[in-house]
Amino acid sequence: MAQFTFTNNTYAGEALAGFMASTLLEADSVKRGLLTVINDVKARKVILDVDDNVVLQDPSGIFHDQGTTALQNESYLDPVVYEFMKQEQWDKLIQSWEAQSLKPGAFLDYEGVVDLSDFMVQRYLTKIQIANERLYWLGKGSTKEASFTAAFPGLLPSIAAASGVYKVGLGKPATSMAATSIDATGLVTVSDTSTLADGDVVTITAVTGSSKDTTNGAPGISIQGQSYFIQIASATTFKLVRNYNEVNSRLAATFTGTSTAATVSYINVSNVLSVLGGVYAQLDPADRIQDDFNLQVPLHVGYAFAQAQANKALNVINAFTDMKKMDYLGIPLQIMNHWQANTILGARSSNLFLGVDLLGDASELSTVYMKPYTNDNVVRMKARMKAAVNFKFANEIFYLSA
């Protein structure tokens, strides 16, 4: 039978290259190289933006400056320190390990010494990585795992608010429709649901009324700007089934109050090809030809694109079984699993930055068995992290949203 031990580990200094770096640098988009990582960001770090035009002049034996003024701006990485802390009962932790690792039968019992410190870290590592992924892109306001007080706006909200970014909306007949009512059960009335389907994701804006989302309890949050998976109820109605931010918790959406008007925006199978075509036509050629340029889309847009490819495949064997290539006219489509719905971002990874401080005092991952110190039969884990995100050239970013 297994012998359980607990080693009081504090991962600091060089050891952060293992567990601590995993919490900060193994977020999905970082592993795929969609962000440029800068280490050793201990305080505000300045990212100098220098831009200028090129003027081709007549030949001259005397030097003549081209006469333009180089534009110099500054972006900042302002690191924020935040923590995850968890306490578990010793015997419950052992039971959890046994349930995960041991199989029935005397000959399959685990023999040897099990260090539960690593096990406790590993069981929360993936969730911390997902929380960081959401934090980097969505910011603190849309990351329900984040409850710290410091400001952390996130990349997408910062890009949406920045001047100079090329922004496109979904307020067109093919990608939006007017809602005439939203009742207290989340039933939305529109003129026609024929372009929608079960499982589509819609974003609600321009709301008139008192509708609130109470999925996570009263008093709830305004449905303005929220996105939902839907189910078609009739030719003129559909139901808001689940908040897109609850894709991991799988909680059913609940509501209070009603609304008399709203705008419903969506990217789905019916319009995804035209949306991507419009995006492609508006991209700056100087950006889209770069090797590190990507179009980043949420999971539901990637699904819609794959389905549309299958629907368009005439006389193709296995059109609905073969995996579809995720690029559009040669530009890679990066599917973002924990992202903002009905959003497309065109950017170079060298223009999006993540600052961390892996070897600083503010980064720590520790596990402690408390019984030798307080006689409490509990285990405590603490992960302290430090991160910041920002972009450099706003005029080299394309942003489409509801």
Side-chain angles (χ1 to χ4, degrees), residues 49 52 66 81 86 121 123 132 143 149 162 164 189 202 213 219 283 306 312 320 324 350 379:
D49 312 338
D52 198 1
Q66 68 179 37
V81 179
K86 180 65 179 177
V121 170
R123 70 185 300 183
N132 275 329
T143 302
T149 56
T189 301
V202 303
D213 184 322
L283 295 176
K312 293 286 186 181
F320 288 91
K324 300 298 179 281
S350 57
V379 178

Side-chain angles (χ1 to χ4, degrees), residues 103-395:
K103 300 177 181 179
F107 295 106
L108 292 176
D109 285 346
Y110 185 92
E111 294 186 3
V113 176
V114 178
D115 188 344
L116 290 182
S117 57
D118 285 358
F119 171 67
M120 187 172 184
V121 170
Q122 290 290 352
R123 70 185 300 183
Y124 291 107
L125 199 58
T126 299
K127 289 191 174 182
I128 295 175
Q129 290 166 357
I130 292 174
N132 275 329
E133 172 79 0
R134 292 168 58 82
L135 185 66
Y136 297 160
W137 289 103
L138 306 180
K140 186 182 74 173
S142 297
T143 302
K144 65 179 185 177
E145 297 93 337
S147 62
F148 53 82
T149 56
F152 200 110
L155 278 168
L156 290 180
S158 297
I159 289 170
S163 60
V165 173
Y166 192 103
K167 301 171 189 174
V168 177
L170 289 175
K172 299 178 177 65
T175 52
S176 70
M177 59 180 67
T180 55
S181 72
I182 304 175
D183 72 12
T185 68
L187 189 70
V188 181
T189 301
V190 295
S191 61
D192 183 12
T193 60
S194 61
T195 58
L196 299 173
D198 291 345
D200 283 350
V201 179
V202 303
T203 301
I204 309 296
T205 56
V207 180
T208 301
S210 59
S211 294
K212 288 192 174 182
D213 184 322
T214 57
T215 303
N216 289 303
I221 59 173
S222 171
I223 67 170
Q224 170 70 26
Q226 299 294 315
S227 300
Y228 296 90
F229 293 95
I230 68 168
Q231 288 180 349
I232 304 301
S234 72
T236 58
T237 59
F238 62 84
K239 184 80 163 50
L240 304 177
V241 178
R242 189 170 68 204
N243 192 307
Y244 192 74
N245 279 335
E246 300 296 335
V247 67
N248 291 320
S249 64
R250 301 173 180 85
L251 294 175
T254 57
F255 302 90
T256 184
T258 61
S259 294
T260 57
T263 298
V264 176
S265 303
Y266 57 96
I267 303 174
N268 65 1
V269 176
S270 74
N271 61 27
V272 65
L273 294 178
S274 62
V275 169
L276 289 174
V279 169
Y280 187 92
Q282 297 176 82
L283 295 176
D284 188 327
D287 294 326
R288 73 184 185 194
I289 63 173
Q290 302 300 320
D291 291 339
D292 65 339
F293 183 84
N294 296 281
L295 284 178
Q296 293 162 231
V297 301
L299 182 62
H300 74 91
V301 173
Y303 156 75
F305 181 52
Q307 183 68 58
Q309 289 183 65
N311 293 347
K312 293 286 186 181
L314 300 176
N315 301 318
V316 176
I317 299 175
N318 301 329
F320 288 91
T321 57
D322 290 345
M323 184 177 293
K324 300 298 179 281
K325 189 175 182 180
M326 286 293 111
D327 73 30
Y328 186 83
L329 300 181
I331 297 180
L333 290 184
Q334 298 288 349
I335 309 302
M336 310 300 287
N337 295 310
H338 308 282
W339 227 44
Q340 183 173 290
N342 293 307
T343 299
I344 298 178
L345 179 70
R348 300 176 62 185
S349 59
S350 57
N351 195 25
L352 305 173
F353 295 90
L354 166 65
V356 296
D357 185 19
L358 295 181
L359 302 182
D361 295 336
S363 296
E364 173 194 9
L365 180 59
S366 59
T367 54
V368 179
Y369 180 37
M370 297 302 296
K371 191 169 185 178
Y373 310 104
T374 64
N375 206 33
D376 293 316
N377 200 27
V378 297
V379 178
R380 290 179 177 174
M381 172 185 168
K382 180 177 180 180
R384 175 181 290 179
M385 293 153 280
K386 189 176 185 180
V389 292
N390 210 339
F391 56 91
K392 190 173 184 180
F393 296 111
N395 60 354

